[in-house]
Every structure is written in C-alpha cells, then in structure tokens.
C-alpha cells in the first residue's frame, strides 16, 4: 500500500469513528429547530427539512453530508382512508363458521416445505368500503385544517418532534387526527419516524396504503444494496441507497414485521398494500411500526484485497451499535446459545429418553453448550405435555441433559390438541378459519391467548429449567377472523397476529430475561418462510432463517446406517454435500449482514459420518463457516462419530469458548475491505472487539494461490498485536496495526483449507 493510500485508509477510519463517537453541542450537529413554518431535524450528517403550514406537512429536503437525496415528488407520508357503508362495525365471522385450512409438512428441493389445502376465509356481510381518499403530506390541506408542532426530550440523549394535524371541517373525517413522530439519538446519524392515527369521529374508517416515509430518491442515489434478503414474499428490512460515487448514502430500515413490510426501489418505506389495512372505529387509534434512516459518508478506499466502502463500515459499526443500544436487538443478558446441537436431523420426531441421553452424553464430549430437543418430545407433537410413552419421566430426562453440563432447549409449536389446557382456560382460543396440522389446531396470536402462551412458556422454563425455546409452525398468514377477536378484516388480522406473536416474546423476555427465545421462519409466516428482520430481533434473541439444509446428512429422517436406504449413499458424495452446506451457511449469513449475525441461525452443520464422509477438514470447515455468526445449529446422529471426530469438535469448540470468553467473538462481525464469501478463492472476515482483539477467520476455496497476504482493516493502526494461527498451532509474530491493515501478514493454506487467527494485544 502506498503512503497516500495508507493516509486515505487512516482518514476513512477516523471518519467512520467520528460518525458515531460522543460529541456535544454544535460540534455534534444534533437537534430539532423550528423557524416559522420550517422545521429542521439534524442528526449528524443526516438532515431533514419540513414545512408545516395550515394542514399541509411538506418534506422540503433530505440531505446526507450536504447532498440532497430526494426529488421534488417526495411526499413524506401517504395513506388512504375509506368509510364503511353502512356506518357500523364490519361483520365478523361467527365462531365455528368459515372455511378450514389443512397444513401438512413436506419436503422438496432439499429442505422442508408446507403443503396447504383449503381456502382462506373471507368475512361475510354487506359492509363495503366507499369513497377511498388518498392523502399525502403536500395535499393534506384538502382535508386537514390545523397542525401543531411539539419538540420534546422523552429520555436522555433523545429528541422527539411531533407534528399533529387535525381534520376539523370535513363531513366524514372531522375528528380524525394524525401525529407524525420523528426521533433523533445523540451520537448516531439516525432519524426514526412513525405515524399515529386517532379517530374521534363518529364514523367507521379503514386505513390502507400507508407509506410511513414516502420518499423519491434522486437517480444519483439509486444504487441499492439489500442488507437483509428480499425473498419468499417478504421484502428486505434493511437496504442501502448509495450515491453513484459510493461516498455517501442512507441505510433504510423498517421495523414492520414479516411480509407486511415494503421498502420500495424509490426509497419509500411502509406497509405492503397487499397485506395491510386497519379499521378505525369511533374513539379508536392506530400506531404504526417505526422506520428509520441512517446516514453514512466517507472515503472509498482500495485495500490490498478489496474495496472498503463507507456503507459497509457504517453497517458493521455504528448501525449495529444503534440497533443494540436503542432497539434492544441482541440483549447482552442473553447468552448466545452456541455451540448448539439439535435433535431433528436423522431422528425427526422419533426421539426417546434413551436417544436423548445417548446424544447428550456425546454432545457434552464434543463440547457443545446447548442441546435442543426438537419436535417429538410432546404428546401428539403438540402443546407442552410430554409424550409419556417416549419419556416416562420427562423431568428426569431434562435433568440428565443438564447433568452433562449442557443447557436445555425445547421445541414448541403454536398448535394445540383439542384436550389442551389452553381450551379449558380460553375455549375460543383457536384461530378462525380453522387451521389444522397433525391432530391439532392453530391458536390465535391476535387474541388473549398470546399472553397465555407466553406464561405457559415461562411455566415450562420453571418446570424443566429450559433456557432456550425454538418456536415453530405457521398459522398467522391464514388470518384470524373469529368472533370476539379485535380484527375486523382478514388483512387487519395479519398485523394483529404478528404483533401478538411479538408481544408474547416481549413478555417472555421481560419475565425471564436470560432465556433465549427463537422464532422460526415458519411461525413468522410460512415454510420455507421469510428471512430475519428487525421486528423479530427487537423481541426474540434468535431467528431460524430458511431454508433447512440437510446436505451431507444422508437419509435425514433415519439414524445413520439404519435401514437398507443408507447403502445408496456414497461417502465422497456426502462429503461434497457437507462442503456445499458450509458455503450455503456463509452465503446465508452474509445475506443478513445488516443484522447482528449472532442472532441468525442457519440449519444445520450436519454431524453425520457415513463410512468416512465426515473428515477432520470438513469439521474444521463447518466450525469456521458457522463462526461467521455463532456456531449454531449443528444436527445429526452423534453416535455416527468416532473418537477422532469427537476429539476434533472438542478441540475446536474449546478454542471458540476461550476466544468468546476473552473477546466476545460471537457478538462481532466485520467484512469491509476484504473479499466476499466464495468457495473458489480466498476470503476472510473479522470477529474483533472495538480494540481490534479477537479472531479473524480465513478460508480458501478450490482455487487461488497457496499463499496469500491477509489484510485486517479493523485493527487500530497505532496498536501492536500478536497473531496466532490456532489450526496450525503456531505464533505468526508481532505486528503493528498499520502492518496488519497493509497486508504484511501472509498465510499459507491448502485448497479448501481454513484457519482461525487470534489477534491478541501486546
């Protein structure tokens, strides 16, 4: 690296730190100011200017680092209001009426699927929605006659702006008020926004097409990068919009759950029109989920191995810290549940007390920290009562797991059998339409059952000392329109159901803060389901992303070697599948890099050995691949391992435990300025704390040079470090931070080799 490039790199690092470092007063540039009709909201490099006049609320400008982001057509906030004809509460389905939906688990394309039979119910009755009227900030004065501005400090280091508009004279909407709420947070270039509606009119109204931040970005900022996936019916929850020169832009983030979210190519963010609407009866209100923008800017730096962008540096540093400090993502009191072994692969629901004890003994020898009993421990695979035929004394089974030094996790579903205690307490707790699976019915997260469910999980925690819950089975996407529910339309019930699911998680977290609560993609929408998002991680500590990966597991529902079916599996082919599964894991983690990766679970690193298919090198590749996040989930018949396999896992997991104890490696991830995941060449990433201490994971694919310079951009240039290659078992030497940034460190690996480098202080 030339002296000029080195100076640019150091400057870029300073800029990235200054963006989020503690500063005060005018230097910080944080504040909300009103000057006549104009209001300026400034959060460091990010600034928004509004004009509030009469009933009109206009977005005049949005800037980052002094550059205007938006076109003149940006509308700020937009929505549609319709009125009920006749003017009354829309008719609901009566309890017991409506169509039924039957769902059954299936398998296709190497993962789990869900077969759906039956139609979704629709509300009966004569109510219709008339005179749909669209509104946007610049056109509100056609209806809204008065606006009021308030600036407050709701808590330390946070400022809030509320712009309240009222309809006073409109014959239908008079009495409707709307609050536009903006928040800024000292030390972060973030402006967060949500909308509150209150209907004090005598009319029944329907809200739809709500775009919370209706932006139209300039063509220069059209370069879009998805930082969580957009797939399986759900849009990304974090997306970057970057200037063509890549020196500045915004991260657009949505806290709307699951498939109800939409971040548009224009930069607008709000609810998906296909899935969202909300009925407002007299004296009723609606508060939207927030969305927010995070500004970034800095130099584009060519490193010895790649290009470092200010977008990437912002994501891996300040943006992630904002999520943890202000949204409660990845709470520090919850221990990351890793390394974890789950019972599903090669057993399915056919687990027994004897199997669990056997697998727990081997899991403990391997160095796993958590053992999860997946689907199959309950009676009829539903509810929370043990299957007494398979587990005559389930408390003793759980105690045996803990006696091995393992934390206990339990799989639970959102379906209940007809004789479940839930129905004795809440006879109408099932969702409508009826959703059937196995011998049970889907339960209503949109009603009071969500709190019964949360406290039931607490009871299971108390009874069995389970500190991890994997929550599964989908029903919310089918709607919930039973009598006695708060929902008036099927679309409304989708958001109510998702909110109820997340409220249950919040209750569990509040009353048992050390419990790790995991949501699966299935319970969050379907199978294969939606990717992880911010809304889920505000309330749950883990998210099980799609799809389940059984590569290398052979017959994934049979114990290894049991049955003639195993003879068709060639060990070399299974080994190649295991390697492909490792690449799949790294790519799925990287696709979610806008979120703290310690919260992401990709299923599974398969602990399956069939006639030598699992080699020590494949084990090392599994450990390194899943370490892009945290090493969960491993699954597969542990009895197929030999003593060498057990010893290898134990060595690697002991190393990870020590590194996590020393540096918290699971809670860190850096990727800027180095190659992206590949299985053809070299790539690497960091698991370093703010001082630059921790681990760097290096992987070589099928090609590339035998020796490679490894640059580590995330250390402090003026500090000194010792580098230890743990797989090779040798100290590589002492280096200054600048030398590590420059790529002075060189490493030799065989094809498909890997290494964990410890970066320790000197």
């Amino acid at each position: 690296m030339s002296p000029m490039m080195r100076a640019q790199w150091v400057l870029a690092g300073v800029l990235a730190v200054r963006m989020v470092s503690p500063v005060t007063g005018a230097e910080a540039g944080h504040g909300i100011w009103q000057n006549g009709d104009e209001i300026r909201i400034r959060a460091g490099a990010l600034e928004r200017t509004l004009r509030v006049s009469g009933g009109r609320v206009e977005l005049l400008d949005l800037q980052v680092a002094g550059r205007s982001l938006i076109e003149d057509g940006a509308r700020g906030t937009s929505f549609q209001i319709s009125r009920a004809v006749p003017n009354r509460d829309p008719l609901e389905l009566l309890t017991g009426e409506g169509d039924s939906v039957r769902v059954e688990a299936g398998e296709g394309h190497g993962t789990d699927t869900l077969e759906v039979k039956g139609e979704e119910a629709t509300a009966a009755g004569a109510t219709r929605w008339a005179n749909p009227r669209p509104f946007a900030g610049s056109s509100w004065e056609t209806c809204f006659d008065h606006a009021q501005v308030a600036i407050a400090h709701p808590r330390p280091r946070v400022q809030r702006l509320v712009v309240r508009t009222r309809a006073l004279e409109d014959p239908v909407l008079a009495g409707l008020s709307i609050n536009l709420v903006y928040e800024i947070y000292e030390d972060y270039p973030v402006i967060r926004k949500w909308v509150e509606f209150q209907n004090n009119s005598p009319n029944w109204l329907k809200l739809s097409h709500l775009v919370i931040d209706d932006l139209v970005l300039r063509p220069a900022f059209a370069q879009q990068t998805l930082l969580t996936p957009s797939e399986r019916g759900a849009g990304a929850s974090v997306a970057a919009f970057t200037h063509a020169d890549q020196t500045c832009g915004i991260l657009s983030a949505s806290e709307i759950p699951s498939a109800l979210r939409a971040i548009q190519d224009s930069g607008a963010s709000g609810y998906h029109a296909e899935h969202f609407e909300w009925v407002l009866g007299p004296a009723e209100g609606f508060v939207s989920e927030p969305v927010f923008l995070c500004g970034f800017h800095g130099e584009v730096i060519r490193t010895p191995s790649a290009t470092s962008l200010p977008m990437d540096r912002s994501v891996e540093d300040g943006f992630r810290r904002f999520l943890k400090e202000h949204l409660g993502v990845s709470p520090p009191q919850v221990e990351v549940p890793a390394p974890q072994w789950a019972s599903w692969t090669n057993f399915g629901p056919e687990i027994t007390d004897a199997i669990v004890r056997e697998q727990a003994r081997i899991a403990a020898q391997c160095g796993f920290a958590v053992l999860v009993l997946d689907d199959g421990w309950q009676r009829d695979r539903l509810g929370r009562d043990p299957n007494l035929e398979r587990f005559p004394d389930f408390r003793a089974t759980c105690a045996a797991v803990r006696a091995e030094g393992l934390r206990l996790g339990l799989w639970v579903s959102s379906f209940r059998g007809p004789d479940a205690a839930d129905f004795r307490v809440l006879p109408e707790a099932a969702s409508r339409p009826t959703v059937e699976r196995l011998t049970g019915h889907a339960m209503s997260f949109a009603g009071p059952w969500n709190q019964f469910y949360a406290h039931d999980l607490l009871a299971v925690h108390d009874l069995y000392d389970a500190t991890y819950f994997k929550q599964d089975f989908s029903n919310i996407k089918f709607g919930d329109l039973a009598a006695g529910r708060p929902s008036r339309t099927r679309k409304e019930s989708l958001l109510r159901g998702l909110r109820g699911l997340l409220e249950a998680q919040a209750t569990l977290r509040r009353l048992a803060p050390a419990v790790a609560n995991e949501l699966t993609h299935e319970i969050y929408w379907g199978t294969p389901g939606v990717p992880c998002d911010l809304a889920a991680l505000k309330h749950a500590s883990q998210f099980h992303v799609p799809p389940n990966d059984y590569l290398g597991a052979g017959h994934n529902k049979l114990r290894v070697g049991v049955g003639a079916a195993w003879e068709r599996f060639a060990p070399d082919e299974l080994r190649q599948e295991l390697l492909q599964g490792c690449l799949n894991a790294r790519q799925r983690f990287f696709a979610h890099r806008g979120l703290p990766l310690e919260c992401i679970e990709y299923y599974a690193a398969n602990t399956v050995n069939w006639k030598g298919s699992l080699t020590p090198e494949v084990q090392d590749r599994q450990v390194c691949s899943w370490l892009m996040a945290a090493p969960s989930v491993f699954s597969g018949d542990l009895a197929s391992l030999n003593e060498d396999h057990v010893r290898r896992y134990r060595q690697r997991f002991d190393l990870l435990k020590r590194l996590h104890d020393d540096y918290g490696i699971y809670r860190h991830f850096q990727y800027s300025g180095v190659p992206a995941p590949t299985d053809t060449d070299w790539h690497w990433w960091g698991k370093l704390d703010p001082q630059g201490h921790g681990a760097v994971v290096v992987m070589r694919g099928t090609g590339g040079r035998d020796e490679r310079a490894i640059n580590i951009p995330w250390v402090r240039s003026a500090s000194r470090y010792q580098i230890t290659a743990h797989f090779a078992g040798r100290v590589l030497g002492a280096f200054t931070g600048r030398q590590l940034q420059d790529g002075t460190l060189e490493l030799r690996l065989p094809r498909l080799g890997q290494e964990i480098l410890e970066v320790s202080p000197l």
Side-chain angles (χ1 to χ4, degrees):
M1 180 183 288
S2 68
M4 179 175 294
M5 290 180 67
R6 181 183 299 118
Q8 289 177 332
W9 174 256
V10 173
L11 174 62
V14 170
L15 288 173
V17 171
R18 280 193 61 188
M19 185 175 65
V20 294
S21 61
V23 287
T24 58
E27 181 187 357
H30 269 67
I32 301 172
W33 300 274
Q34 182 175 10
N35 183 12
D37 291 344
E38 287 194 5
I39 302 171
R40 186 159 58 99
I41 308 169
R42 186 173 183 186
L46 187 64
E47 185 171 313
R48 180 187 289 258
T49 305
L50 309 174
R51 177 183 293 138
V52 179
S53 177
R56 176 188 288 238
V57 182
E58 295 179 272
L59 174 60
L60 297 183
D61 200 7
L62 179 66
Q63 295 187 3
V64 62
R67 291 186 178 184
S68 181
L69 291 156
I70 60 171
E71 296 277 49
D72 292 339
R75 303 192 297 175
T77 302
S78 60
F79 55 90
Q80 182 173 288
I81 297 285
S82 309
R83 64 184 180 89
V85 178
N87 185 34
R88 65 181 185 190
D89 189 347
L91 293 178
E92 304 165 339
L93 288 178
L94 296 177
T95 301
E97 293 186 0
D99 300 323
S100 65
V101 177
R102 178 76 188 176
V103 292
E104 296 177 358
E107 191 171 325
H109 304 289
T111 190
D112 296 300
T113 61
L114 197 67
E115 299 175 10
V116 180
K117 302 174 183 178
E119 298 297 325
E120 298 168 354
T122 56
T127 302
R128 63 185 180 88
W129 298 100
N131 305 118
R133 298 168 61 182
F135 294 96
S138 58
S139 64
W140 286 7
E141 61 185 359
T142 59
C143 174
F144 296 94
D145 315 285
H146 183 73
Q148 183 72 32
V149 174
I151 300 172
H153 293 77
R155 54 192 183 277
R157 303 165 65 86
V158 176
Q159 274 190 278
R160 179 181 295 173
L161 168 70
V162 179
V163 179
R164 182 163 45 255
T165 63
R166 294 187 181 278
L168 300 177
E169 304 295 336
D170 188 274
V172 174
L173 301 184
L176 179 67
S177 64
I178 303 172
N179 296 341
L180 303 179
V181 186
Y182 302 84
E183 274 193 352
I184 59 173
Y185 309 83
E186 192 172 326
D187 304 337
Y188 293 100
V190 168
I191 302 177
R192 196 165 172 231
K193 179 183 179 183
W194 64 92
V195 189
E196 302 172 351
F197 294 82
Q198 178 63 34
N199 179 24
N200 275 8
S201 82
N203 299 312
W204 286 84
L205 307 174
K206 184 178 75 173
L207 170 67
S208 62
H209 298 82
L210 175 56
V211 183
I212 299 167
D213 211 8
D214 197 349
L215 306 178
V216 180
L217 297 176
R218 294 181 184 274
F221 286 91
Q223 181 173 315
Q224 185 179 167
T225 303
L226 301 184
L227 296 167
T228 65
S230 179
E231 61 190 22
R232 296 181 172 91
S237 67
V238 183
F241 295 90
T242 308
H243 192 273
D245 65 12
Q246 298 185 307
T247 62
C248 66
I250 53 171
L251 305 176
S252 178
S254 174
E255 299 170 45
I256 297 172
S258 194
L260 273 75
R261 171 185 58 254
I263 298 177
Q264 302 173 21
D265 292 343
S266 67
S269 183
Y271 293 91
H272 197 298
E274 181 181 346
H275 298 306
F276 170 78
E277 63 189 18
W278 199 272
V279 174
L280 293 167
E284 293 183 350
F286 172 77
V287 179
S288 79
E289 279 76 9
V291 300
F292 64 92
L293 302 177
C294 177
F296 61 84
H297 68 107
E299 297 289 335
V300 176
I301 307 301
R302 178 67 191 175
T303 75
S305 64
T307 300
S308 174
L309 301 177
M311 173 192 71
D312 294 330
R313 299 194 296 270
S314 177
V315 169
E316 69 189 18
D317 185 11
F319 180 75
R320 187 163 293 138
R321 287 196 281 120
F322 173 79
L323 299 183
K324 295 184 178 185
E325 181 178 343
H326 290 286
L327 299 190
V329 172
S330 188
Q333 71 270 18
V334 179
E335 187 174 356
V336 179
Q340 177 194 122
W341 182 86
S343 67
W344 182 249
T345 301
N346 300 122
F347 298 101
E350 304 301 319
I351 53 175
T352 64
D353 174 82
I355 288 173
V356 169
R357 290 172 185 265
E358 172 200 52
Q359 298 293 305
R361 175 181 55 80
I362 304 172
Q365 293 172 352
C366 289
F368 287 100
V370 183
L371 186 142
V372 178
L373 303 190
D374 213 297
D375 182 3
W377 66 270
Q378 301 118 312
R379 177 165 52 90
D380 298 325
R381 299 170 57 191
L382 301 166
R384 43 72 58 90
D385 296 324
N387 182 328
L388 296 180
E389 294 182 2
R390 297 177 179 272
F391 298 93
D393 187 345
F394 189 64
R395 296 183 75 171
T397 305
C398 297
V401 171
R402 297 195 306 275
E404 296 287 355
L406 299 164
R407 300 195 300 277
L408 174 67
L410 295 175
W411 178 94
V412 294
S413 83
S414 57
F415 281 57
R416 295 292 183 270
D419 59 345
D422 310 55
F423 291 117
R424 293 196 293 273
V425 178
L426 296 167
E428 304 299 334
S431 63
R432 298 289 188 272
T434 299
V435 183
E436 301 172 346
R437 186 166 180 174
L438 302 173
T439 59
H441 296 87
M443 305 298 281
S444 173
F445 280 108
W449 180 79
N450 73 69
Q451 289 304 300
F452 181 97
Y453 169 77
H455 285 271
D456 204 39
L457 289 183
L458 286 166
V460 174
H461 163 65
D462 294 341
L463 282 171
Y464 305 121
D465 198 19
T467 58
Y468 176 96
F469 289 109
K470 176 182 178 181
Q471 301 165 81
D472 210 357
F473 282 10
S474 60
N475 64 324
I476 293 172
K477 67 180 293 184
F478 303 112
D480 187 6
L481 285 171
R485 302 287 188 273
S487 303
R488 280 72 174 243
T489 72
R490 179 186 173 276
K491 281 188 181 182
E492 181 182 313
S493 76
L494 301 177
L495 182 56
R496 286 191 185 272
L498 287 165
R499 284 182 171 182
L501 171 64
L502 297 179
E503 287 169 8
Q505 307 310 306
T507 297
L508 180 62
R509 175 178 287 183
R510 176 174 57 85
L511 296 176
V515 167
N517 53 332
E518 184 216 50
L519 297 177
T520 64
H521 53 86
E522 181 170 346
I523 200 171
Y524 208 45
W525 201 248
T527 292
V530 294
C532 188
D533 63 25
L534 282 174
L537 296 188
K538 286 170 58 179
H539 302 88
S541 59
Q542 308 293 127
F543 193 97
H544 184 92
V545 301
N548 286 353
D549 197 328
Y550 299 113
L551 289 174
H555 195 301
N556 62 64
K557 295 299 186 292
L558 288 178
R559 295 204 66 167
V560 176
V562 175
W566 275 93
E567 295 304 324
R568 74 172 186 264
F569 295 109
D572 289 346
E573 293 178 0
L574 291 182
R575 186 178 305 117
Q576 291 304 310
E577 288 186 6
L578 289 170
L579 292 172
Q580 181 62 46
C582 291
L583 176 62
N584 292 349
R586 300 195 303 276
Q587 290 177 331
R588 292 301 287 161
F589 289 135
F590 194 75
H592 286 85
R593 64 193 179 278
L595 304 173
L597 292 189
E598 70 268 22
C599 302
I600 307 299
E601 290 189 355
Y602 181 71
Y603 187 97
N606 289 307
T607 55
V608 172
N609 179 52
W610 173 242
K611 297 182 178 181
S613 61
L614 182 66
T615 64
E617 293 76 19
V618 172
Q619 288 181 276
D620 285 353
R621 205 159 187 85
Q622 289 178 331
V623 170
C624 288
S625 296
W626 266 261
L627 188 54
M628 185 174 280
S632 61
V633 180
F634 287 66
S635 187
D637 189 351
L638 293 172
S640 68
L641 306 182
N642 60 36
E643 291 182 359
D644 290 337
H645 291 123
V646 172
R647 187 179 305 110
R648 175 64 63 126
Y649 278 133
R650 183 63 187 236
Q651 290 172 345
R652 299 320 189 202
F653 291 152
D654 282 351
L655 170 63
L656 297 190
K657 182 180 186 306
R658 201 268 298 168
L659 292 172
H660 184 59
D661 288 344
D662 288 351
Y663 311 111
I665 60 170
Y666 297 158
R667 294 189 181 272
H668 302 294
F669 173 64
Q670 295 91 17
Y671 67 94
S672 61
V674 297
T678 176
D679 235 12
T680 58
D681 208 329
W682 292 63
H683 76 99
W684 56 95
W685 63 91
K687 306 287 287 184
L688 304 179
D689 66 18
Q691 289 72 44
H693 305 146
V696 174
V697 185
V698 185
M699 306 192 74
R700 183 186 173 189
T702 56
R705 300 186 300 274
D706 291 341
E707 192 169 18
R708 177 71 186 259
I710 305 298
N711 66 303
I712 305 177
W714 320 289
V715 294
R716 295 185 173 185
S717 59
S719 297
R720 289 178 55 79
Y721 302 91
Q722 178 172 285
I723 306 298
T724 303
H726 282 289
F727 286 6
R730 61 192 180 95
V731 176
L732 302 184
F735 299 83
T736 66
R738 181 163 294 179
Q739 287 176 317
L740 295 175
Q741 291 172 351
D742 288 350
T744 303
L745 174 66
E746 294 190 348
L747 192 66
R748 177 176 290 272
L749 287 177
R751 293 188 179 187
L752 295 175
Q754 43 271 319
E755 182 60 89
I756 294 180
L757 302 175
E758 180 177 359
V759 184
S760 56
L762 275 178

